[in-house]
Amino acid sequence: MSGPLIVLVGPMGVGKSTVGELLAERLGTTYRDTDADVVAAAGKAIAEIFFDEGEEHFRELERRAVRDAVDQHTGVLALGGGAVLDAKTRALLAGRPVAYLAMDVEEAVRRVGLNTARPLLAVNPRRQWRELMDARRHLYEEVARTTVATDERTPEEVAQAVLDALELPEPVASGRENTPMTEQATTRISIAGTAGTEPYEVLVGRRLLGELPHLIGDRAKRVAVLHPEALAGTGEAVREDLAAQGYEAIAIQLPNAEEAKTAEVAAYCWKALGQTGFTRSDVIVGVGGGATTDVAGFVAASWLRGVRWIAVPTTVLGMVDAAVGGKTGINTAEGKNLVGAFHPPAGVLCDLAALDSLPVHDYVSGLAEVIKAGFIADPVILDLVEADPQAARTPAGPHTAELIERSIRVKAEVVSGDLKESGPREVLNYGHTLGHAIEKNERYKWRHGAAVSVGMVFAAELGRLAGRLDDATADRHRAVLESVGLPLTYRGDQWPRLLENMKVDKKSRGDLLRFVVLDGIGRPTVLEGPDPAVLLAAYGEVSA
């Protein structure tokens, strides 16, 4: 019977992709994932397919993908968690070398971590997991030639167990050693304490939820988990885990995105803290994107004149920008982040699993801050994006962890020496002066990264016209940003309103407009009071 050498089935989060890639490497063949085939065919993430067209449409796409892959692929094949629900799919797998990768519920919740935004785990992950497995376990066992438990095993050990069970020999080594494929190690990035603040760490990796109790500590009795409405399931999962650890844990739901950053929402949080008897030794945890961590940090800074807080960012923007550095704040009718405080967190947990089901537009928006870090400090970031822009657009890309870690290190180095934006930290606002003005003009309906992208193109043109930046680097802004799908232009008729918005920007001094520009890659500087004609000319270069 022709077809795949090995077919892997099992629930989401069990490690089919990791084990499948390792098996393909050992067997000297190729790896294929039907979930990736569905995403490629639909042109959107699985979560978006569920939301836009429903589960039935997704299952039809999945059936086609499995049929084509079983017919065409001769290497290692991994199927989506629910593929076995289809009777025709199960018939296709009959007699084939199928391995069922299994794990228990506690291991499942640990591995899925903060990624409870998966389409079928949107509420209580433990209960949903049990219900899913009750419906699917016998189907996995029906199609499988062998069952391999993955609990407390490394991916390499699981791969070896699959090879042993299916009695598949490994080919003779081709002159290089096989490198064990283990779970990605957690990276710890230190942020130095300044101005009387304590140092803290930013952790980047997977399965980081278990770090929360250590960061919260023994002195805290109560923990408040602040989360947006869109992550209600995730927020409740975190609250349940903390309650199981013995904390009096409450969840406070916020509006989504920038709608959360208002005085009214902050007051709602203060009321909830007061009603639950929150003291100075208790801790706030912000789970969500940049807007959520901004609010969580501001509420922590203002309650009892400052309580400890922990950021758990779930977006690219939150990980590389908003959650690191201690800048917290809310918006007013007059502008963005005009009310706030410098209040560093006790720690930041960047669980990369949270990005796996992030909508593509939100993921790409966050890349603007990553690319910004490349232009102001680390050109390797630009090289990685330019090497494969399409791969950079997805969390499954080979350089995702490195891009995020490098961006965080750029910000860490800057904020460690300038907590309160009194000098060097201003460079982190590259592209933000016009970007914030666009956001306000659009009543915060534009994504932050999209606005900053246009702002960076404007800043590059301003630097070019001021005689500071060479043509090649200015043009590189457009090329890199466009390659990942970020916008380069904004409405030409809005310049007068944008100019008024920029006059209340935090970097302005009196009536003097100030812009971060570049003298070259990695050489940011501040341009004060540019000629109005030069400003207008620079805006003409980004006008649609």
Side-chain angles (χ1 to χ4, degrees):
M1 180 184 292
S2 62
L5 276 175
I6 300 174
V7 180
L8 299 178
V9 299
M12 64 188 78
V14 75
K16 295 188 294 289
S17 296
T18 303
V19 173
E21 289 172 354
L22 181 54
L23 285 168
E25 181 181 0
R26 288 189 174 188
L27 294 170
T29 186
T30 55
Y31 169 74
R32 184 166 175 175
D33 183 334
T34 58
D35 274 352
D37 291 346
V38 170
V39 170
K44 62 176 72 174
I46 289 174
E48 291 184 81
I49 301 172
F50 267 74
F51 181 80
D52 295 340
E53 284 95 15
E55 182 177 358
E56 184 175 347
H57 179 71
F58 168 75
R59 295 301 176 199
E60 177 56 33
L61 295 177
E62 185 176 53
R63 276 191 289 272
R64 297 177 198 166
V66 173
R67 182 191 62 209
D68 292 345
V70 170
D71 181 56
Q72 302 165 5
H73 188 60
T74 58
V76 178
L77 177 65
L79 306 190
V84 295
L85 294 172
D86 184 68
K88 292 181 179 179
T89 292
R90 296 198 300 276
L92 277 177
L93 298 178
R96 297 187 182 275
V98 179
Y100 163 34
L101 304 188
M103 61 180 172
D104 66 22
V105 64
E106 294 305 321
E107 180 75 2
V109 172
R110 186 173 72 86
R111 291 191 187 184
V112 173
L114 297 173
N115 191 19
T116 51
R118 292 177 186 266
L120 297 180
L121 286 184
V123 192
N124 183 314
R126 287 185 175 84
R127 187 182 70 241
Q128 295 291 85
W129 185 271
R130 290 191 180 96
E131 291 175 356
L132 282 173
M133 289 307 297
D134 286 345
R136 298 178 181 179
R137 185 178 294 104
H138 69 287
L139 300 179
Y140 293 135
E141 293 171 346
E142 174 187 326
V143 301
R145 184 179 298 177
T146 184
T147 297
V148 176
T150 65
D151 304 296
E152 299 182 0
R153 278 176 161 174
T154 67
E156 186 179 57
E157 291 170 338
V158 174
Q160 187 61 55
V162 171
L163 291 172
D164 293 343
L166 295 176
E167 299 181 345
L168 291 174
E170 297 185 49
V172 177
S174 58
R176 66 179 180 86
E177 295 182 4
N178 283 331
T179 302
M181 191 179 219
T182 58
E183 289 289 326
Q184 176 188 323
T186 299
T187 299
R188 296 176 179 267
I189 301 170
S190 297
I191 312 289
T194 59
T197 64
E198 295 293 324
Y200 61 96
E201 287 186 326
V202 181
L203 278 62
V204 183
R206 289 178 179 263
R207 309 184 190 177
L208 299 182
L209 192 56
E211 297 281 348
L212 261 181
H214 171 71
L215 289 173
I216 293 170
D218 297 331
R219 292 183 60 235
K221 180 180 179 182
R222 301 169 188 85
V223 180
V225 180
L226 276 58
H227 63 84
E229 181 182 359
L231 292 181
T234 300
E236 179 59 22
V238 174
R239 188 203 66 77
E240 285 184 357
D241 281 337
L242 293 176
Q245 297 288 332
Y247 297 105
E248 293 180 14
I250 64 168
I252 302 176
Q253 183 167 293
L254 312 179
N256 293 323
E258 294 292 322
E259 292 182 5
K261 295 178 61 173
T262 67
E264 292 77 14
V265 171
Y268 169 75
C269 295
W270 294 327
K271 182 177 181 180
L273 297 180
Q275 289 177 340
T276 53
F278 227 71
T279 70
R280 245 184 206 159
S281 62
D282 297 325
V283 177
I284 289 172
V285 176
V287 180
T292 299
T293 56
D294 278 353
V295 174
F298 177 66
V299 170
S302 50
W303 183 254
L304 300 179
R305 298 184 178 87
V307 298
R308 295 172 69 242
W309 74 289
I310 297 162
V312 186
T314 59
T315 65
V316 177
L317 175 63
M319 291 180 185
V320 305
D321 183 47
V324 180
K327 282 173 65 174
T328 72
I330 57 175
N331 305 330
T332 70
E334 289 68 38
K336 186 171 181 177
N337 295 331
L338 295 181
V339 175
F342 293 98
H343 189 58
V348 181
L349 302 181
C350 299
D351 194 319
L352 299 178
L355 304 179
D356 290 344
S357 10
L358 191 66
V360 63
H361 294 302
D362 290 329
Y363 188 88
V364 170
S365 174
L367 290 180
E369 292 287 353
V370 173
I371 292 169
K372 178 201 76 176
F375 276 114
I376 67 173
D378 185 356
V380 173
I381 290 174
L382 304 179
D383 296 337
L384 290 172
V385 173
E386 289 169 328
D388 193 344
Q390 288 304 309
R393 286 170 51 89
T394 168
H399 305 303
T400 297
E402 183 176 359
L403 287 170
I404 288 175
E405 289 171 14
R406 283 183 174 274
S407 302
I408 292 172
R409 290 187 191 280
V410 168
K411 186 161 188 180
E413 183 174 352
V414 174
V415 302
S416 290
D418 181 16
L419 172 66
K420 297 192 174 180
E421 207 169 56
S422 58
R425 184 168 178 168
E426 279 191 318
V427 304
L428 295 172
N429 286 310
Y430 185 57
H432 284 57
T433 302
L434 180 66
H436 283 166
I438 291 173
E439 286 184 276
K440 180 184 175 186
N441 200 49
E442 293 291 330
R443 298 182 181 178
Y444 305 107
K445 300 302 182 185
W446 264 46
R447 290 176 173 84
H448 175 71
V452 168
S453 176
V454 177
M456 282 192 282
V457 177
F458 171 78
E461 295 298 341
L462 183 58
R464 187 201 320 242
L465 291 170
R468 310 289 289 264
L469 188 63
D470 61 280
D471 290 343
T473 303
D475 292 340
R476 193 178 185 186
H477 282 68
R478 293 178 179 273
V480 176
L481 293 165
E482 186 175 35
S483 73
V484 298
L486 285 163
L488 309 179
T489 60
Y490 188 65
R491 296 159 55 192
D493 62 347
Q494 295 300 298
W495 175 244
R497 295 180 64 178
L498 296 176
L499 191 59
E500 287 304 310
N501 289 346
M502 288 190 290
K503 288 179 180 178
V504 294
D505 183 82
K506 299 185 300 297
K507 292 178 293 304
S508 298
R509 302 292 185 267
D511 293 328
L512 189 67
L513 282 174
R514 304 167 80 248
F515 295 86
V516 178
V517 296
L518 298 180
D519 285 337
I521 292 179
R523 297 168 57 200
T525 187
V526 174
L527 178 65
E528 291 192 341
D531 188 297
V534 174
L535 282 175
L536 181 59
Y539 187 70
E541 296 297 322
V542 299
S543 296

